[in-house]
Amino acid sequence: MTLKKSYELLENADPWACIASKLMLSIRVVSAIYRKHLKKHNVTMSQLSLLMVIGKHKFLPQNEIGKLLKLERSTVTRDLKRMIEKGYFIKKYDKTRPVIYITDKGADYVELIIPDWKAATEEAKSKLGTDGEQALNLVLNNLMR
Amino acid sequence: MTLKKSYELLENADPWACIASKLMLSIRVVSAIYRKHLKKHNVTMSQLSLLMVIGKHKFLPQNEIGKLLKLERSTVTRDLKRMIEKGYFIKKYDKTRPVIYITDKGADYVELIIPDWKAATEEAKSKLGTDGEQALNLVLNNLMR
DNA sequence: AAAACATAGTTGTATATGCAACATAAGGCG
DNA sequence: CGCCTTATGTTGCATATACAACTATGTTTT
């Protein structure tokens, strides 16, 4: 298979010079570590983030959740829907605005998960190294400013 | 809504101390930048990665693609399927093993996209800063070793 | 107050992703 | 060569995610 012509830009471009690709690669490696540890609880990192963030606050207005986790509105609606169906959250209303509360079942669940979450975090940190850990903080800080 | 008991671990845990969460947050910020620039081409970062990696090599055995991009076998099957349907790749066989070739249409397409990909990368870099850029490289290197 | 604009939630649609189970093929070994 | 193990590809299933369009609500401006 030979291509018709030469492709200047493609030939000179480096796929690995892409910021998004680097982050996607990184998250795939780290996700695999967390999945391994969280598997027994049948929970994903996205779900655990919701459990921990909402659990910390006891309750949060739905719109706040998206802002905190930088998730699109519709993603929040549906991620929460699944967790509500499982009984970890309940949705109440402040006038017309949904507010999401963690349930006892949800809080018990997080308590159970946290030790494995910590283990995963330790494994990720050991792979990252102290310098890598600080580097990641810097990346996040710069992106958030 | 008051929870029955106190939740020691949850109360003392910091959701933001999570390596996976930090990376997920980072990728959401960066993805948004790339999406904005790539929108006009109706292409996603995942698709562009395939186009650039396969395009650079002209062709790649399917199993190599997963290794390079750290994608699960089934993800590769399906991501490629969509791109093949659109005519950007073709699948040939070396004996029984699929080998993915970029088509002329695919190569033309990447040539068109690359300028906007570069612009996105520049915007992401400017948000990251030079230090952030180096930090990201360090993170990725440490995770890959 | 009415109109215009902005915010928020939901649903339809599409992509991306991983795991489990299955089928097939490849390699190594007795 | 035939058996065992491993690697690979596919398909079923579930989750995560974003955008567009629609609806409802809230806010600002005239």
Side-chain angles (χ1 to χ4, degrees):
Chain A
M1 171 105 307
T2 308
L3 297 176
K4 279 192 210 128
K5 17 172 185 161
S6 77
Y7 293 93
E8 280 287 328
L9 298 180
L10 177 55
E11 274 155 27
N12 295 314
D14 176 7
W16 309 109
C18 181
I19 305 298
S21 294
K22 288 179 191 178
L23 279 167
M24 292 194 299
L25 240 37
S26 302
I27 190 66
R28 279 174 203 144
V29 173
V30 170
S31 285
I33 296 173
Y34 278 83
R35 271 199 308 274
K36 185 181 63 184
H37 287 270
L38 298 179
K39 191 185 169 80
K40 66 167 83 72
H41 301 292
N42 199 30
V43 74
T44 65
M45 262 313 304
S46 296
Q47 292 168 353
L48 185 54
S49 294
L50 286 173
L51 283 165
M52 289 181 72
V53 168
I54 299 173
K56 267 303 235 203
H57 290 83
K58 315 291 193 210
F59 60 89
L60 274 177
Q62 182 169 323
N63 69 331
E64 289 295 318
I65 297 169
K67 282 176 190 161
L68 283 171
L69 299 179
K70 297 211 174 288
L71 289 172
E72 212 270 341
R73 300 196 301 280
S74 61
T75 302
V76 175
T77 298
R78 283 183 260 231
D79 288 359
L80 288 175
K81 182 162 164 287
R82 281 185 285 267
M83 301 295 278
I84 290 168
E85 280 164 1
K86 290 175 182 164
Y88 301 131
F89 299 131
I90 49 175
K91 185 191 284 200
K92 302 192 168 197
Y93 286 87
D94 176 9
K95 302 243 171 74
T96 62
R97 284 305 163 71
V99 180
I100 311 299
Y101 289 75
I102 194 164
T103 60
D104 289 322
K105 181 178 177 186
D108 287 338
Y109 188 41
V110 203
E111 285 292 292
L112 218 58
I113 296 168
I114 286 179
D116 290 298
W117 167 75
K118 282 183 178 167
T121 301
E122 283 318 306
E123 184 177 336
K125 280 184 179 178
S126 84
K127 196 153 201 177
L128 257 184
T130 314
D131 56 344
E133 209 185 316
Q134 292 182 331
L136 176 55
N137 289 334
L138 191 134
V139 167
L140 185 59
N141 281 336
N142 286 6
L143 288 177
M144 294 305 215
R145 75 193 164 187
Chain B
M1 168 105 309
T2 308
L3 298 176
K4 281 193 208 126
K5 17 172 186 162
S6 77
Y7 294 93
E8 281 287 327
L9 299 179
L10 178 54
E11 274 156 28
N12 296 313
D14 176 8
W16 309 109
C18 182
I19 306 298
S21 295
K22 289 179 192 178
L23 279 167
M24 290 193 301
L25 240 38
S26 302
I27 190 66
R28 279 173 204 144
V29 173
V30 170
S31 285
I33 296 172
Y34 278 83
R35 271 199 308 275
K36 185 181 63 183
H37 288 270
L38 298 180
K39 193 186 168 82
K40 66 168 80 74
H41 302 291
N42 199 32
V43 74
T44 66
M45 260 315 302
S46 296
Q47 293 167 353
L48 185 53
S49 293
L50 286 173
L51 285 164
M52 288 181 74
V53 168
I54 299 173
K56 267 302 234 206
H57 290 83
K58 313 291 193 208
F59 60 89
L60 272 177
Q62 183 169 321
N63 69 329
E64 290 295 318
I65 296 169
K67 283 175 189 162
L68 283 171
L69 300 179
K70 297 213 173 287
L71 288 172
E72 212 270 340
R73 300 196 300 281
S74 60
T75 302
V76 175
T77 299
R78 282 183 262 233
D79 288 359
L80 287 175
K81 183 164 165 285
R82 280 185 285 267
M83 300 296 278
I84 290 168
E85 281 163 2
K86 289 175 182 165
Y88 302 131
F89 299 131
I90 50 175
K91 185 192 284 199
K92 302 192 169 197
Y93 286 88
D94 176 9
K95 304 244 170 73
T96 63
R97 283 307 164 67
V99 180
I100 312 300
Y101 289 75
I102 195 164
T103 60
D104 289 322
K105 180 177 176 188
D108 287 338
Y109 189 40
V110 202
E111 285 291 294
L112 218 58
I113 297 169
I114 285 179
D116 289 297
W117 167 75
K118 282 184 177 168
T121 300
E122 283 317 307
E123 184 176 336
K125 281 185 179 179
S126 84
K127 196 152 201 180
L128 258 184
T130 315
D131 56 343
E133 208 185 317
Q134 292 182 332
L136 176 56
N137 289 334
L138 192 137
V139 167
L140 185 59
N141 281 335
N142 287 5
L143 288 176
M144 293 307 217
R145 73 192 165 186

